[in-house]
Amino acid sequence: MASTEHAPTSRLRAWMLEGLSDMGKGRRVPEPATPEPVHKGQRWWRVMCLTGVDYFSTLGYQPGIAALAAGLLSPVATVVLVVVTLAGALPVYRRVAEESPRGEGSIAMLERLLSFWKGKLFVLTLLGFAATDFLITITLSAADASTHLVENPHLTNALHDRQMLITLILVALLGAVFLKGFLEAIGVAVVLVGIYLALNVVVAVTGLWHVAAEAHVVTDWGTALTAEHGNAFAMIGVALLVFPKLALGLSGFETGVAVMPHVEGDPEDTEESPGGRIRDTKKLLTTAALIMSVFLIVTSFITTVLIPEKEFESGGQANGRALAYLAHEYLGGVFGTVYDVSTIAI
């Protein structure tokens, strides 16, 4: 008698039907199992650098976007963003790290709060939004990287009108990195993030030094800001309105939770009780948020008071590359080019 072979069930169909047979039977008590040891991962600060490729890289275009969205109010709007990050997003994702230590993230937590079909359909909807955000971040970062390349004073003539081609090439290279895998990319990420943050420290300190040397720029900015918005309440109101345009880097928190399985943790950690991994992931999230917050406040301030407003607009030399503009302006073409290369790489 011929046997009947069933086609393998698709992963999506299997996930959608998972748990269906247990509905109406009450919660099933799982059988005790032997705790499995957690595989050896990487130190939390190394994994933070992998997250930083997403999170810290927004420094390349965040000050310019803030200047276009908020104008003279850019530093105030950035402070609002930092407050929301530290008082809102950070505590939430520290809790997410406790509830999803295997990298499921906030979406899996939301699924558990809803009933069977509602939870699964809700997750599919959220994944659609997440995928959209992911693609926007990739294309925006790649486009900004190509802007740093095309607008470099030494390459402008050779690469003029080729930004689209360069952007597509960079997106393809980024896709190759993802195919290689997160774990293999950690070593590269540590080098890229270390160099990038060090260069940004140099640019930020140089910018603050020029602000101190030219004190009138702060006075001029304050006078213009008061004349444009009137009082502090009006400034905060406008800053809240433009907030969604500035919250580009917050996806880095979800990335930080997603890479949790790569955090080393303690030797006694198990998959059922990874206390060390959770603790170190909280360190990762907090450290990344503090580093980024300091950079955002300082860079939004120095770019607003030192760069002419017209340079942020389309066709301006600071459009999409405000910090690179300061690097070339105050530290010379060689350092500026090194900064461009670092921004493109990250």
Side-chain angles (χ1 to χ4, degrees), residues 251-318:
S251 61
F253 284 104
E254 191 71 28
T255 306
V257 175
V259 297
M260 273 190 74
H262 297 307
V263 177
E264 184 177 14
D266 296 331
E268 61 271 17
D269 279 4
T270 65
E271 287 295 341
E272 295 301 320
S273 180
R277 179 199 293 170
I278 293 172
R279 181 198 64 238
D280 286 350
T281 300
K282 288 182 178 180
K283 291 181 183 178
L284 181 158
L285 295 171
T286 303
T287 304
L290 291 174
I291 291 174
M292 191 62 173
S293 296
V294 172
F295 272 115
L296 284 176
I297 292 174
V298 173
T299 57
S300 67
F301 175 68
I302 62 175
T303 53
T304 300
V305 301
L306 291 177
I307 300 177
E309 192 171 355
K310 64 179 182 179
E311 297 294 349
F312 290 110
E313 299 173 358
S314 180
Q317 296 183 32

Side-chain angles (χ1 to χ4, degrees), residues 18-333:
E18 182 182 0
L20 185 61
S21 60
D22 297 328
M23 294 180 65
K25 298 181 181 180
R27 184 176 294 276
R28 183 175 60 185
V29 179
E31 297 180 1
T34 304
E36 296 182 5
V38 177
H39 72 278
K40 184 174 177 60
Q42 300 279 335
R43 299 293 298 275
W44 66 267
W45 58 269
R46 291 176 61 85
V47 182
M48 183 191 72
C49 290
L50 181 61
T51 304
V53 173
D54 175 19
Y55 194 25
F56 300 145
S57 65
T58 57
L59 280 172
Y61 49 84
Q62 180 86 12
I65 290 178
L68 286 175
L72 295 173
L73 200 62
S74 174
V76 179
T78 301
V79 169
V80 172
L81 171 64
V82 167
V83 170
V84 172
T85 299
L86 298 180
L90 179 58
V92 167
Y93 275 95
R94 283 172 62 91
R95 180 58 186 271
V96 171
E98 292 181 7
E99 298 293 334
S100 59
R102 284 166 289 280
E104 304 96 326
S106 57
I107 293 179
M109 291 177 60
L110 291 172
E111 180 191 11
R112 294 199 294 266
L113 296 176
L114 299 174
S115 59
F116 182 74
W117 287 114
K118 290 180 180 178
K120 293 184 182 292
L121 294 176
F122 184 61
V123 166
L124 290 177
T125 302
L126 290 180
L127 286 175
F129 283 109
T132 302
D133 175 72
F134 188 59
L135 290 175
I136 289 174
T137 303
I138 287 177
T139 53
L140 186 60
S141 296
D144 178 72
S146 64
T147 298
H148 279 76
L149 190 62
V150 172
E151 296 297 331
N152 183 283
H154 303 291
L155 301 174
T156 299
N157 294 331
L159 301 178
H160 184 63
D161 292 334
R162 296 186 180 180
Q163 186 170 355
M164 178 65 73
L165 175 61
I166 295 171
T167 300
L168 292 175
I169 292 174
L170 292 175
V171 170
L173 291 174
L174 183 61
V177 173
F178 279 110
L179 290 175
K180 181 67 176 176
F182 275 143
L183 191 59
E184 291 78 4
I186 288 179
V188 177
V190 171
V191 176
L192 291 179
V193 169
I195 295 174
Y196 183 68
L197 291 183
L199 292 174
N200 274 283
V201 168
V202 175
V203 175
V205 171
T206 302
L208 290 174
W209 185 84
H210 279 277
V211 170
E214 305 170 31
H216 67 89
V217 297
V218 178
T219 305
D220 295 343
W221 169 70
T223 302
L225 186 62
T226 304
E228 183 174 323
H229 297 284
N231 57 68
F233 293 104
M235 295 177 191
I236 295 175
V238 175
L240 291 173
L241 289 176
V242 301
F243 171 79
K245 297 180 180 180
L246 308 185
L248 299 171
L250 293 182
S251 61
F253 284 104
E254 191 71 28
T255 306
V257 175
V259 297
M260 273 190 74
H262 297 307
V263 177
E264 184 177 14
D266 296 331
E268 61 271 17
D269 279 4
T270 65
E271 287 295 341
E272 295 301 320
S273 180
R277 179 199 293 170
I278 293 172
R279 181 198 64 238
D280 286 350
T281 300
K282 288 182 178 180
K283 291 181 183 178
L284 181 158
L285 295 171
T286 303
T287 304
L290 291 174
I291 291 174
M292 191 62 173
S293 296
V294 172
F295 272 115
L296 284 176
I297 292 174
V298 173
T299 57
S300 67
F301 175 68
I302 62 175
T303 53
T304 300
V305 301
L306 291 177
I307 300 177
E309 192 171 355
K310 64 179 182 179
E311 297 294 349
F312 290 110
E313 299 173 358
S314 180
Q317 296 183 32
N319 182 256
R321 56 190 301 275
L323 293 177
Y325 175 91
L326 293 181
H328 283 275
E329 185 75 13
Y330 294 123
L331 294 166

